């Protein structure tokens, strides 16, 4: 069984583009997989988008990837189909909101992003191959890129207008403390444990940490600065290093810490573990995170309040609200037919 880890679920450039491609075509209800605020998502656009994503996943993880099961017991194919439908639904919702807020995108912006895509895909030739392989002409692809930029601009506009109080930022910091805590530390790195023990003994006997780091540390970059690594968060260092560094108080020196880099002796110079100690830059980062959370809550609310009807059988079964709406719609139609027959 393959677990649905971040590597697999995180879309690559091509997979990300695929969600945007072929969306927006209006068709009759009989050829629809969903209806969003009056706009239909056609089975054709869904199937073609799924085909593109399927091809990308198989190229990355092998031809049998869609048959494998994730952590929740669902096959990757079922998970991907749900993700695609949800992405297409949100695209309809956000584009309508962008239009209501008079947010648009210029041809120059589209051409600049396409230029970046070409570079990431490997140049003009690879870009043409991408279009050909996915049965998309350049004019249509440009329209899809335009939608992508418009949605991004809509999100940025919402975040820029959102307000975040100092109280909200403080609470966010406390709720996500491990992500924002920082320590300022120095280390001495040795290749052999025996050498590390000797250096640690020198330090305990009064040896100068910075001088020993300059003379004996194998980390040439930090050795020049007396072992200084500056400030860092937990995720910036390997787990073994971070666990010890964040457990020390300012001025404390660790015992020997082993990692895949060798043997470390760590000294913590300072620690930022309270909101009041955060730098202005750090507080700005927290405020942006608060605004980002508000954006997600806003999008969730739009999704919840949208008039959405799902016509795909597998999604009806998992979406009680959509199923209930469809039953109501069908009952109305049946009542009309009964009245006609009478």
């Amino acid at each position: 069984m393959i677990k649905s880890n971040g590597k697999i679920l995180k879309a690559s450039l091509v997979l990300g583009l695929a969600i945007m491609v072929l969306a927006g075509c209006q068709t009759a209800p009989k050829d629809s997989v969903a209806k969003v605020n009056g706009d239909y998502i056609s089975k054709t656009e869904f199937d073609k988008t799924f085909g593109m994503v399927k091809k990308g996943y198989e190229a990355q993880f092998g031809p049998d990837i869609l048959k494998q099961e994730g952590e929740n017991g669902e096959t990757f194919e079922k998970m991907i189909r749900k993700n695609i439908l949800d992405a297409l639904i949100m695209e309809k919702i956000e584009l309508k909101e962008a239009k209501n807020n008079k947010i648009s995108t210029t041809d120059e912006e589209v051409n600049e992003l396409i230029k970046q895509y070409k570079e990431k895909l490997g140049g003009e030739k690879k870009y043409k191959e991408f279009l050909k392989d996915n049965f998309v002409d350049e004019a249509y692809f440009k329209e899809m890129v335009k939608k992508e930029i418009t949605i991004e601009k809509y999100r940025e506009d919402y975040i820029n207008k959102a307000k975040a109080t100092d109280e909200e930022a403080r609470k966010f910091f406390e709720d996500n403390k491990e992500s924002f805590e920082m320590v300022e530390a120095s280390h001495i790195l040795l290749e052999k444990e025996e050498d590390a023990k000797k250096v640690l003994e020198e330090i305990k006997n009064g040896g100068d940490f910075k001088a020993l780091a300059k003379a004996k540390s194998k980390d040439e970059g930090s050795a020049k600065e007396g072992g200084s690594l500056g400030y860092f968060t937990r995720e910036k260092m390997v787990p073994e290093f971070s666990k010890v560094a964040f457990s020390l108080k300012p001025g404390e020196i660790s015992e020997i810490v082993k990692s895949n880099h060798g043997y470390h002796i760590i000294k913590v110079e300072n620690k930022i573990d309270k909101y009041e100690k955060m730098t202005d830059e750090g507080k700005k980062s927290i405020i942006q995170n608060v605004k980002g959370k508000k954006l997600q809550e806003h999008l969730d609310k739009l999704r919840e309040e949208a008039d959405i009807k799902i016509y795909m059988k597998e999604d009806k079964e998992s979406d009680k609200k959509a199923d209930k709406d469809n039953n109501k719609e069908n009952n109305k139609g049946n009542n009309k037919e009964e009245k006609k027959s009478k």
Side-chain angles (χ1 to χ4, degrees), residues 114-280:
I114 287 180
K115 180 182 176 182
Q116 294 176 31
Y117 284 159
K118 287 179 181 179
E119 292 173 357
K120 290 180 180 179
L121 289 169
E124 184 71 28
K125 185 178 179 181
K126 291 289 184 182
Y127 169 68
K128 295 293 185 183
E129 288 176 0
F130 167 75
L131 297 179
K132 183 178 179 182
D133 289 345
N134 292 288
F135 309 103
V136 181
D137 62 54
E138 191 165 23
Y140 197 85
F141 183 71
K142 283 186 175 182
E143 184 60 29
M144 296 310 99
V145 170
K146 188 173 185 177
K147 290 181 180 181
E148 181 182 355
I149 296 173
T150 302
I151 288 174
E152 184 60 30
K153 289 171 76 172
Y154 167 69
R155 294 182 179 187
E156 288 180 0
D157 181 68
Y158 186 90
I159 286 177
N160 290 336
K161 291 177 179 176
K163 304 295 182 182
T165 66
D166 189 64
E167 184 179 345
E168 288 174 321
R170 190 184 301 275
K171 184 177 185 305
F172 192 88
F173 173 84
E174 291 298 331
D175 291 343
N176 302 274
K177 203 169 185 178
E178 288 198 354
S179 298
F180 293 106
E181 274 186 312
M182 299 180 76
V183 295
E184 180 187 14
S186 301
H187 80 143
I188 300 172
L189 176 65
L190 288 307
E191 292 178 0
K192 298 178 181 179
E193 186 176 13
E194 182 181 345
D195 294 336
K197 287 180 179 179
K198 290 178 181 178
V199 172
L200 182 58
E201 189 64 29
E202 286 188 62
I203 293 171
K204 287 182 176 181
N205 289 329
D208 183 82
F209 192 96
K210 289 185 178 181
L212 287 167
K214 288 181 178 180
K216 302 194 175 186
S217 180
K218 302 303 179 184
D219 181 358
E220 295 180 2
S222 67
K224 296 176 183 177
E225 304 298 325
S228 177
L229 296 166
Y231 280 98
F232 54 86
T233 57
R234 292 174 190 269
E235 64 179 18
K236 293 294 183 181
M237 301 295 176
V238 293
E240 304 91 334
F241 191 99
S242 285
K243 183 179 180 180
V244 174
F246 279 85
S247 70
L248 297 173
K249 296 177 181 178
E252 287 187 331
I253 296 173
S254 73
E255 294 297 318
I256 296 168
V257 179
K258 183 182 178 181
S259 78
N260 58 346
H261 296 291
Y263 297 87
H264 310 261
I265 301 169
I266 306 168
K267 180 181 180 182
V268 169
E269 310 290 349
N270 196 11
K271 182 181 283 189
I272 297 177
D273 56 357
K274 296 186 186 321
Y275 182 74
E276 291 77 10
K277 292 183 178 180
M278 292 292 292
T279 63
D280 290 341

Side-chain angles (χ1 to χ4, degrees), residues 104-114 145 149 153:
S104 59
T105 300
T106 66
D107 290 340
E108 289 75 14
E109 290 171 318
V110 172
N111 292 333
E112 177 57 32
L113 187 55
I114 287 180
V145 170
I149 296 173
K153 289 171 76 172

Side-chain angles (χ1 to χ4, degrees), residues 67-119:
K67 297 178 183 178
Q68 301 298 319
E69 289 185 355
E71 291 177 335
N72 58 5
E74 290 184 330
T75 63
F76 274 95
E77 177 172 355
K78 189 171 183 179
M79 291 164 61
I80 291 168
R81 290 176 73 86
K82 284 183 177 180
N83 289 340
I84 290 172
L85 182 58
D86 191 59
L88 291 173
I89 287 171
M90 283 308 302
E91 180 190 81
K92 293 284 188 187
I93 293 170
E94 290 186 79
L95 285 174
K96 186 172 183 178
E97 287 296 306
K99 184 178 180 181
N100 291 341
N101 285 275
K102 295 183 168 65
I103 294 172
S104 59
T105 300
T106 66
D107 290 340
E108 289 75 14
E109 290 171 318
V110 172
N111 292 333
E112 177 57 32
L113 187 55
I114 287 180
K115 180 182 176 182
Q116 294 176 31
Y117 284 159
K118 287 179 181 179
E119 292 173 357

